[in-house]
Amino acid sequence: MKGPSGQQGGNGAGIAGWFDGAAHRATAGLARHTSRRGFLGRLGAILVGAAAVPLLPVSRAFGAEEEGAEAPPPEPAADGIVEYGDPQSCEYWRYCALGGSLCSCCGGTMNSCPPGAEPSPITWVGTCRNPVDDKEYLISYNDCCGKAYCPRCSCHRTEGAKPSYFPSKSPNVLWCFGVESNAYHCTMAAVIGAAPEEAEATAQES
Amino acid sequence: MGSRLWPCTALALLATGALGEAASESPDAAVARYDYLLHCAGCHLADGSGAPPEVPPLRSMARLAAMPDGRDYLIRVPEVAQAPLRNARLANLLNWALQEFSRDASPAGFRPLSAKEVGDARRRILKDPLRARAEILKAAR
């Protein structure tokens, strides 16, 4: 992934590999630790979100033709988290540590590459706070490769917690390796887990 | 491969995983899993399978840990030594990963890595990890 903000991440070939056996094993554990309080909070958020959505100012640039397309409904993600917002906008919460171009406005989604692009196996992982339940989630920024850069939706944010990367493996390197073509097209943003409450108690030093 | 098929598969698998694994996990394991996903999984993938040839899988960890200098090696690999985690958190992560990803069960009598051991070894970052690894394997033969 490019950009000062990313974390390491990338991946996509992975995404299949990432989500398949493996990932779900790793993320399942995190999901288990999501508290009951969290669940109820989220349930509440569905309702609140449903009410709030029509009022949200959202980008109409890409979905205007379809009636009702202007407000994405609260979307339960892979692990059941609830959120709302416009995934085509750089302001969207999951992009807090992303540097690159948004696949969701380049013909793909937060979990899938645009047609003709291929996910790289290596990902950049960061954490972002979901405003709906105020919890920290792990976000995997997966690059889609093999097509020219999608210049439409550049987004560079640095507020997410991210592990520091090492000079030898700078986040500025393109993470499009392990795929057929190294061209960088755009970046996805998949939720791969939630932060367990214990994680903050023994926080990392930097 | 059609990338558009993936999300559905992914969602189905994630849901299955989350519901299927109801067993409880200790807080230490939960933190280790979180630290792993945040600091390591970007390269080694969530299941530790890596992205060869650039990134090795982690299934040899227990085997290496049983060899002379192998315990230290696991800590001195640059990506591990420099992870932004305190010694105790890093030891907890490595001990978890040793069990989670190793193909062979941990060798009998395996002692978990301690925070002190991690603190000592991580200061000696390997300049050439691939070579160090080859030497460890050779010495163990």
Side-chain angles (χ1 to χ4, degrees), chain A residues 131-183:
Chain A
V132 172
D133 59 10
D134 200 34
K135 272 184 70 84
E136 285 288 308
Y137 286 91
L138 285 158
I139 313 289
S140 176
Y141 297 108
N142 309 282
D143 286 350
C144 294
C145 311
K147 264 177 98 169
Y149 183 65
C150 167
R152 238 183 313 172
C153 318
S154 276
C155 177
H156 292 271
R157 290 172 59 188
T158 53
E159 64 267 42
K162 26 173 208 210
S164 50
Y165 277 87
F166 327 115
S168 59
K169 314 254 201 273
S170 158
N172 293 309
V173 304
L174 209 55
W175 289 93
C176 284
F177 60 77
V179 293
E180 237 155 80
S181 156
N182 295 338

Short mmCIF file of all heavy atoms in Angstrom, two decimals, chain A residues 131-183:
data_model
loop_
_atom_site.label_atom_id
_atom_site.label_comp_id
_atom_site.label_asym_id
_atom_site.label_seq_id
_atom_site.Cartn_x
_atom_site.Cartn_y
_atom_site.Cartn_z
N PRO A 131 -17.95 4.75 14.53
CA PRO A 131 -18.73 5.74 15.29
C PRO A 131 -20.06 5.19 15.79
O PRO A 131 -20.63 5.70 16.73
CB PRO A 131 -18.95 6.87 14.28
CG PRO A 131 -18.74 6.26 12.94
CD PRO A 131 -17.78 5.13 13.13
N VAL A 132 -20.56 4.12 15.18
CA VAL A 132 -21.85 3.59 15.60
C VAL A 132 -21.78 2.94 16.97
O VAL A 132 -22.59 3.21 17.84
CB VAL A 132 -22.40 2.58 14.56
CG1 VAL A 132 -23.64 1.90 15.09
CG2 VAL A 132 -22.70 3.30 13.26
N ASP A 133 -20.79 2.10 17.19
CA ASP A 133 -20.70 1.46 18.51
C ASP A 133 -19.49 1.92 19.31
O ASP A 133 -19.23 1.43 20.39
CB ASP A 133 -20.69 -0.07 18.35
CG ASP A 133 -19.52 -0.56 17.50
OD1 ASP A 133 -18.63 0.25 17.19
OD2 ASP A 133 -19.50 -1.75 17.15
N ASP A 134 -18.74 2.85 18.76
CA ASP A 134 -17.57 3.40 19.43
C ASP A 134 -16.56 2.33 19.82
O ASP A 134 -15.92 2.41 20.86
CB ASP A 134 -18.00 4.21 20.66
CG ASP A 134 -16.90 5.19 21.08
OD1 ASP A 134 -16.20 5.70 20.19
OD2 ASP A 134 -16.73 5.41 22.30
N LYS A 135 -16.44 1.33 19.01
CA LYS A 135 -15.44 0.28 19.26
C LYS A 135 -14.33 0.34 18.22
O LYS A 135 -14.56 0.77 17.09
CB LYS A 135 -16.10 -1.10 19.18
CG LYS A 135 -16.68 -1.59 20.49
CD LYS A 135 -17.22 -3.01 20.35
CE LYS A 135 -16.12 -4.05 20.19
NZ LYS A 135 -15.54 -4.50 21.46
N GLU A 136 -13.15 -0.12 18.64
CA GLU A 136 -12.03 -0.20 17.70
C GLU A 136 -12.12 -1.49 16.90
O GLU A 136 -12.28 -2.56 17.46
CB GLU A 136 -10.69 -0.28 18.44
CG GLU A 136 -10.17 0.97 19.07
CD GLU A 136 -9.66 1.99 18.08
OE1 GLU A 136 -8.83 1.67 17.22
OE2 GLU A 136 -10.10 3.13 18.20
N TYR A 137 -11.99 -1.38 15.61
CA TYR A 137 -11.97 -2.57 14.76
C TYR A 137 -10.67 -2.67 14.00
O TYR A 137 -10.04 -1.64 13.69
CB TYR A 137 -13.13 -2.53 13.75
CG TYR A 137 -14.46 -2.80 14.40
CD1 TYR A 137 -15.23 -1.76 14.89
CD2 TYR A 137 -14.91 -4.11 14.56
CE1 TYR A 137 -16.45 -2.01 15.52
CE2 TYR A 137 -16.12 -4.36 15.18
CZ TYR A 137 -16.88 -3.32 15.67
OH TYR A 137 -18.08 -3.58 16.28
N LEU A 138 -10.29 -3.89 13.72
CA LEU A 138 -9.12 -4.13 12.88
C LEU A 138 -9.57 -4.06 11.43
O LEU A 138 -10.52 -4.72 11.02
CB LEU A 138 -8.56 -5.54 13.15
CG LEU A 138 -7.80 -5.70 14.46
CD1 LEU A 138 -7.76 -7.17 14.87
CD2 LEU A 138 -6.38 -5.16 14.31
N ILE A 139 -8.88 -3.23 10.67
CA ILE A 139 -9.23 -3.08 9.27
C ILE A 139 -8.07 -3.58 8.42
O ILE A 139 -6.93 -3.18 8.64
CB ILE A 139 -9.46 -1.60 8.89
CG1 ILE A 139 -10.35 -0.88 9.91
CG2 ILE A 139 -10.03 -1.50 7.48
CD1 ILE A 139 -11.79 -1.30 9.89
N SER A 140 -8.39 -4.44 7.49
CA SER A 140 -7.35 -4.91 6.59
C SER A 140 -7.48 -4.14 5.28
O SER A 140 -8.52 -4.18 4.62
CB SER A 140 -7.55 -6.40 6.34
OG SER A 140 -6.61 -6.85 5.39
N TYR A 141 -6.43 -3.42 4.95
CA TYR A 141 -6.44 -2.66 3.70
C TYR A 141 -5.79 -3.51 2.63
O TYR A 141 -4.59 -3.75 2.65
CB TYR A 141 -5.69 -1.34 3.88
CG TYR A 141 -6.34 -0.44 4.89
CD1 TYR A 141 -5.77 -0.22 6.13
CD2 TYR A 141 -7.57 0.16 4.61
CE1 TYR A 141 -6.38 0.60 7.07
CE2 TYR A 141 -8.19 0.97 5.55
CZ TYR A 141 -7.59 1.19 6.77
OH TYR A 141 -8.20 1.98 7.69
N ASN A 142 -6.61 -3.97 1.75
CA ASN A 142 -6.14 -4.90 0.72
C ASN A 142 -6.03 -4.18 -0.62
O ASN A 142 -6.99 -3.60 -1.08
CB ASN A 142 -7.14 -6.04 0.56
CG ASN A 142 -7.48 -6.68 1.88
OD1 ASN A 142 -6.70 -7.47 2.41
ND2 ASN A 142 -8.60 -6.32 2.45
N ASP A 143 -4.88 -4.26 -1.19
CA ASP A 143 -4.70 -3.61 -2.48
C ASP A 143 -5.22 -4.47 -3.62
O ASP A 143 -5.06 -5.68 -3.61
CB ASP A 143 -3.21 -3.34 -2.74
CG ASP A 143 -2.70 -2.19 -1.89
OD1 ASP A 143 -3.52 -1.50 -1.27
OD2 ASP A 143 -1.47 -1.99 -1.86
N CYS A 144 -5.81 -3.81 -4.60
CA CYS A 144 -6.18 -4.49 -5.84
C CYS A 144 -5.16 -4.07 -6.89
O CYS A 144 -4.83 -2.88 -7.02
CB CYS A 144 -7.58 -4.10 -6.28
SG CYS A 144 -8.85 -4.69 -5.14
N CYS A 145 -4.68 -5.04 -7.61
CA CYS A 145 -3.54 -4.82 -8.49
C CYS A 145 -3.86 -5.28 -9.91
O CYS A 145 -4.86 -5.94 -10.15
CB CYS A 145 -2.34 -5.61 -7.99
SG CYS A 145 -2.03 -5.38 -6.23
N GLY A 146 -2.96 -4.93 -10.82
CA GLY A 146 -3.06 -5.46 -12.17
C GLY A 146 -3.78 -4.55 -13.14
O GLY A 146 -4.01 -4.92 -14.29
N LYS A 147 -4.17 -3.37 -12.66
CA LYS A 147 -4.80 -2.39 -13.54
C LYS A 147 -4.20 -1.04 -13.20
O LYS A 147 -3.76 -0.84 -12.07
CB LYS A 147 -6.30 -2.31 -13.24
CG LYS A 147 -7.18 -3.15 -14.13
CD LYS A 147 -8.63 -3.03 -13.70
CE LYS A 147 -9.40 -2.04 -14.54
NZ LYS A 147 -10.86 -2.13 -14.27
N ALA A 148 -4.23 -0.12 -14.11
CA ALA A 148 -3.65 1.19 -13.85
C ALA A 148 -4.34 1.86 -12.66
O ALA A 148 -5.49 1.55 -12.32
CB ALA A 148 -3.79 2.07 -15.09
N TYR A 149 -3.65 2.75 -12.01
CA TYR A 149 -4.16 3.48 -10.86
C TYR A 149 -5.52 4.08 -11.15
O TYR A 149 -5.77 4.62 -12.22
CB TYR A 149 -3.16 4.61 -10.52
CG TYR A 149 -3.54 5.40 -9.30
CD1 TYR A 149 -3.56 4.80 -8.04
CD2 TYR A 149 -3.86 6.75 -9.40
CE1 TYR A 149 -3.91 5.53 -6.92
CE2 TYR A 149 -4.21 7.49 -8.28
CZ TYR A 149 -4.24 6.87 -7.04
OH TYR A 149 -4.57 7.60 -5.93
N CYS A 150 -6.42 3.96 -10.19
CA CYS A 150 -7.75 4.56 -10.33
C CYS A 150 -7.69 5.93 -9.66
O CYS A 150 -7.68 6.01 -8.44
CB CYS A 150 -8.80 3.68 -9.63
SG CYS A 150 -10.39 4.49 -9.42
N PRO A 151 -7.59 6.98 -10.42
CA PRO A 151 -7.31 8.29 -9.84
C PRO A 151 -8.54 8.99 -9.27
O PRO A 151 -8.44 10.01 -8.62
CB PRO A 151 -6.77 9.09 -11.05
CG PRO A 151 -7.42 8.46 -12.23
CD PRO A 151 -7.72 7.02 -11.88
N ARG A 152 -9.70 8.40 -9.48
CA ARG A 152 -10.93 9.09 -9.12
C ARG A 152 -11.09 9.34 -7.64
O ARG A 152 -11.69 10.31 -7.23
CB ARG A 152 -12.10 8.19 -9.55
CG ARG A 152 -13.02 8.86 -10.50
CD ARG A 152 -14.18 7.96 -10.82
NE ARG A 152 -13.77 6.61 -11.14
CZ ARG A 152 -14.64 5.62 -11.29
NH1 ARG A 152 -15.91 5.83 -11.14
NH2 ARG A 152 -14.21 4.40 -11.58
N CYS A 153 -10.61 8.42 -6.83
CA CYS A 153 -11.00 8.46 -5.43
C CYS A 153 -9.80 8.36 -4.50
O CYS A 153 -9.77 7.52 -3.60
CB CYS A 153 -11.97 7.31 -5.15
SG CYS A 153 -13.19 7.11 -6.46
N SER A 154 -8.86 9.21 -4.68
CA SER A 154 -7.68 9.20 -3.82
C SER A 154 -8.08 9.55 -2.40
O SER A 154 -8.94 10.40 -2.19
CB SER A 154 -6.66 10.23 -4.31
OG SER A 154 -5.90 9.67 -5.33
N CYS A 155 -7.43 8.91 -1.46
CA CYS A 155 -7.78 9.14 -0.06
C CYS A 155 -6.54 8.88 0.77
O CYS A 155 -5.96 7.78 0.70
CB CYS A 155 -8.91 8.18 0.33
SG CYS A 155 -9.41 8.25 2.05
N HIS A 156 -6.14 9.85 1.55
CA HIS A 156 -4.96 9.65 2.40
C HIS A 156 -5.26 10.15 3.80
O HIS A 156 -5.43 11.33 4.03
CB HIS A 156 -3.74 10.38 1.82
CG HIS A 156 -3.29 9.77 0.54
ND1 HIS A 156 -2.37 8.74 0.50
CD2 HIS A 156 -3.68 9.98 -0.73
CE1 HIS A 156 -2.22 8.37 -0.76
NE2 HIS A 156 -2.99 9.10 -1.53
N ARG A 157 -5.38 9.22 4.72
CA ARG A 157 -5.67 9.59 6.11
C ARG A 157 -4.69 8.90 7.03
O ARG A 157 -4.21 7.82 6.73
CB ARG A 157 -7.11 9.20 6.47
CG ARG A 157 -8.13 10.09 5.74
CD ARG A 157 -9.53 9.58 5.92
NE ARG A 157 -9.90 9.51 7.33
CZ ARG A 157 -11.03 8.95 7.76
NH1 ARG A 157 -11.87 8.41 6.91
NH2 ARG A 157 -11.30 8.93 9.05
N THR A 158 -4.43 9.50 8.15
CA THR A 158 -3.40 8.95 9.02
C THR A 158 -3.84 8.83 10.46
O THR A 158 -3.03 8.58 11.33
CB THR A 158 -2.16 9.84 9.00
OG1 THR A 158 -2.58 11.17 9.31
CG2 THR A 158 -1.49 9.82 7.66
N GLU A 159 -5.13 9.00 10.75
CA GLU A 159 -5.48 9.04 12.17
C GLU A 159 -5.61 7.67 12.82
O GLU A 159 -5.70 7.58 14.03
CB GLU A 159 -6.72 9.90 12.41
CG GLU A 159 -7.99 9.41 11.79
CD GLU A 159 -8.27 10.00 10.42
OE1 GLU A 159 -7.35 10.11 9.59
OE2 GLU A 159 -9.43 10.31 10.16
N GLY A 160 -5.63 6.61 12.07
CA GLY A 160 -5.82 5.30 12.67
C GLY A 160 -4.60 4.83 13.43
O GLY A 160 -3.48 5.22 13.13
N ALA A 161 -4.82 4.00 14.45
CA ALA A 161 -3.70 3.38 15.14
C ALA A 161 -3.06 2.44 14.16
O ALA A 161 -3.73 1.69 13.49
CB ALA A 161 -4.19 2.60 16.34
N LYS A 162 -1.77 2.52 14.03
CA LYS A 162 -1.13 1.58 13.13
C LYS A 162 0.19 1.16 13.70
O LYS A 162 0.85 1.92 14.37
CB LYS A 162 -0.94 2.18 11.76
CG LYS A 162 -0.84 3.67 11.81
CD LYS A 162 -0.49 4.31 10.53
CE LYS A 162 0.22 5.57 10.94
NZ LYS A 162 0.24 6.72 10.28
N PRO A 163 0.53 -0.07 13.42
CA PRO A 163 1.84 -0.51 13.86
C PRO A 163 2.88 0.25 13.06
O PRO A 163 2.62 0.65 11.95
CB PRO A 163 1.85 -1.99 13.48
CG PRO A 163 0.76 -2.18 12.51
CD PRO A 163 -0.19 -1.04 12.63
N SER A 164 4.02 0.48 13.64
CA SER A 164 5.04 1.17 12.88
C SER A 164 5.66 0.13 11.98
O SER A 164 5.75 -1.02 12.32
CB SER A 164 6.10 1.71 13.80
OG SER A 164 6.53 0.71 14.65
N TYR A 165 6.04 0.57 10.82
CA TYR A 165 6.72 -0.39 9.97
C TYR A 165 8.17 -0.03 9.87
O TYR A 165 8.60 0.97 10.38
CB TYR A 165 5.97 -0.64 8.68
CG TYR A 165 4.93 -1.65 9.01
CD1 TYR A 165 3.69 -1.27 9.51
CD2 TYR A 165 5.25 -2.99 9.02
CE1 TYR A 165 2.80 -2.20 9.95
CE2 TYR A 165 4.33 -3.92 9.45
CZ TYR A 165 3.12 -3.53 9.91
OH TYR A 165 2.23 -4.46 10.33
N PHE A 166 8.89 -0.96 9.39
CA PHE A 166 10.33 -0.90 9.53
C PHE A 166 10.92 -0.35 8.27
O PHE A 166 10.40 -0.59 7.20
CB PHE A 166 10.82 -2.29 9.85
CG PHE A 166 9.80 -3.02 10.65
CD1 PHE A 166 9.16 -4.14 10.17
CD2 PHE A 166 9.40 -2.51 11.88
CE1 PHE A 166 8.17 -4.76 10.91
CE2 PHE A 166 8.42 -3.14 12.62
CZ PHE A 166 7.81 -4.26 12.15
N PRO A 167 12.00 0.37 8.43
CA PRO A 167 12.60 1.02 7.29
C PRO A 167 12.73 0.09 6.09
O PRO A 167 12.45 0.48 4.97
CB PRO A 167 13.99 1.41 7.79
CG PRO A 167 13.88 1.43 9.28
CD PRO A 167 12.74 0.53 9.66
N SER A 168 13.09 -1.13 6.38
CA SER A 168 13.31 -2.04 5.26
C SER A 168 12.01 -2.42 4.56
O SER A 168 12.00 -2.87 3.45
CB SER A 168 14.00 -3.30 5.74
OG SER A 168 13.18 -3.91 6.72
N LYS A 169 10.90 -2.25 5.27
CA LYS A 169 9.63 -2.63 4.68
C LYS A 169 8.69 -1.44 4.78
O LYS A 169 7.71 -1.46 5.48
CB LYS A 169 9.01 -3.82 5.42
CG LYS A 169 9.97 -4.95 5.71
CD LYS A 169 9.68 -6.11 4.80
CE LYS A 169 10.21 -7.40 5.35
NZ LYS A 169 11.53 -7.77 5.06
N SER A 170 9.06 -0.40 4.12
CA SER A 170 8.31 0.84 4.25
C SER A 170 6.89 0.70 3.72
O SER A 170 6.63 0.02 2.75
CB SER A 170 9.03 1.92 3.46
OG SER A 170 8.14 2.94 3.14
N PRO A 171 5.96 1.39 4.39
CA PRO A 171 4.59 1.37 3.90
C PRO A 171 4.48 2.04 2.54
O PRO A 171 3.46 1.94 1.88
CB PRO A 171 3.82 2.16 4.95
CG PRO A 171 4.83 2.92 5.70
CD PRO A 171 6.11 2.16 5.59
N ASN A 172 5.51 2.75 2.16
CA ASN A 172 5.43 3.40 0.86
C ASN A 172 5.70 2.44 -0.28
O ASN A 172 5.50 2.77 -1.43
CB ASN A 172 6.40 4.56 0.78
CG ASN A 172 5.96 5.66 1.73
OD1 ASN A 172 4.82 6.08 1.69
ND2 ASN A 172 6.86 6.09 2.57
N VAL A 173 6.15 1.27 0.06
CA VAL A 173 6.34 0.34 -1.03
C VAL A 173 4.97 -0.11 -1.50
O VAL A 173 4.01 -0.10 -0.75
CB VAL A 173 7.17 -0.91 -0.66
CG1 VAL A 173 8.50 -0.50 -0.09
CG2 VAL A 173 6.40 -1.80 0.27
N LEU A 174 4.93 -0.49 -2.71
CA LEU A 174 3.71 -0.98 -3.27
C LEU A 174 3.52 -2.39 -2.74
O LEU A 174 4.43 -3.19 -2.76
CB LEU A 174 3.88 -1.02 -4.77
CG LEU A 174 2.61 -0.83 -5.53
CD1 LEU A 174 1.92 0.47 -5.09
CD2 LEU A 174 2.95 -0.72 -6.99
N TRP A 175 2.34 -2.69 -2.28
CA TRP A 175 2.13 -4.04 -1.73
C TRP A 175 1.65 -5.01 -2.80
O TRP A 175 1.28 -6.12 -2.52
CB TRP A 175 1.18 -3.98 -0.55
CG TRP A 175 1.87 -3.34 0.59
CD1 TRP A 175 1.86 -2.02 0.91
CD2 TRP A 175 2.77 -3.97 1.49
NE1 TRP A 175 2.69 -1.80 1.98
CE2 TRP A 175 3.25 -2.97 2.35
CE3 TRP A 175 3.22 -5.28 1.66
CZ2 TRP A 175 4.16 -3.24 3.38
CZ3 TRP A 175 4.12 -5.55 2.67
CH2 TRP A 175 4.58 -4.53 3.53
N CYS A 176 1.63 -4.55 -4.03
CA CYS A 176 1.20 -5.43 -5.11
C CYS A 176 2.30 -6.40 -5.52
O CYS A 176 2.84 -6.32 -6.61
CB CYS A 176 0.75 -4.62 -6.32
SG CYS A 176 -0.87 -3.86 -6.09
N PHE A 177 2.65 -7.31 -4.64
CA PHE A 177 3.50 -8.37 -5.13
C PHE A 177 2.81 -9.67 -4.81
O PHE A 177 1.85 -9.70 -4.06
CB PHE A 177 4.93 -8.31 -4.58
CG PHE A 177 5.06 -8.40 -3.09
CD1 PHE A 177 4.93 -9.61 -2.44
CD2 PHE A 177 5.33 -7.25 -2.35
CE1 PHE A 177 5.08 -9.69 -1.08
CE2 PHE A 177 5.47 -7.33 -0.97
CZ PHE A 177 5.35 -8.54 -0.33
N GLY A 178 3.26 -10.73 -5.40
CA GLY A 178 2.54 -11.99 -5.22
C GLY A 178 1.35 -12.05 -6.16
O GLY A 178 0.52 -12.94 -6.07
N VAL A 179 1.23 -11.09 -7.04
CA VAL A 179 0.18 -11.15 -8.05
C VAL A 179 0.84 -11.00 -9.42
O VAL A 179 2.01 -10.68 -9.51
CB VAL A 179 -0.87 -10.02 -7.86
CG1 VAL A 179 -1.65 -10.26 -6.60
CG2 VAL A 179 -0.20 -8.67 -7.85
N GLU A 180 0.05 -11.21 -10.45
CA GLU A 180 0.67 -11.24 -11.77
C GLU A 180 1.25 -9.90 -12.20
O GLU A 180 2.33 -9.82 -12.74
CB GLU A 180 -0.34 -11.71 -12.80
CG GLU A 180 0.16 -12.93 -13.56
CD GLU A 180 -1.00 -13.73 -14.09
OE1 GLU A 180 -1.54 -13.33 -15.11
OE2 GLU A 180 -1.37 -14.75 -13.46
N SER A 181 0.51 -8.86 -11.98
CA SER A 181 1.02 -7.55 -12.38
C SER A 181 1.16 -6.67 -11.15
O SER A 181 0.33 -6.69 -10.26
CB SER A 181 0.05 -6.90 -13.35
OG SER A 181 0.21 -5.50 -13.32
N ASN A 182 2.22 -5.88 -11.11
CA ASN A 182 2.46 -5.04 -9.96
C ASN A 182 1.72 -3.71 -9.98
O ASN A 182 1.86 -2.93 -9.06
CB ASN A 182 3.95 -4.74 -9.83
CG ASN A 182 4.74 -5.99 -9.54
OD1 ASN A 182 4.19 -6.96 -9.05
ND2 ASN A 182 6.01 -5.97 -9.85
N ALA A 183 0.98 -3.44 -11.02
CA ALA A 183 0.31 -2.15 -11.08
C ALA A 183 -0.68 -2.02 -9.93
O ALA A 183 -1.45 -2.94 -9.65
CB ALA A 183 -0.42 -2.01 -12.42
#
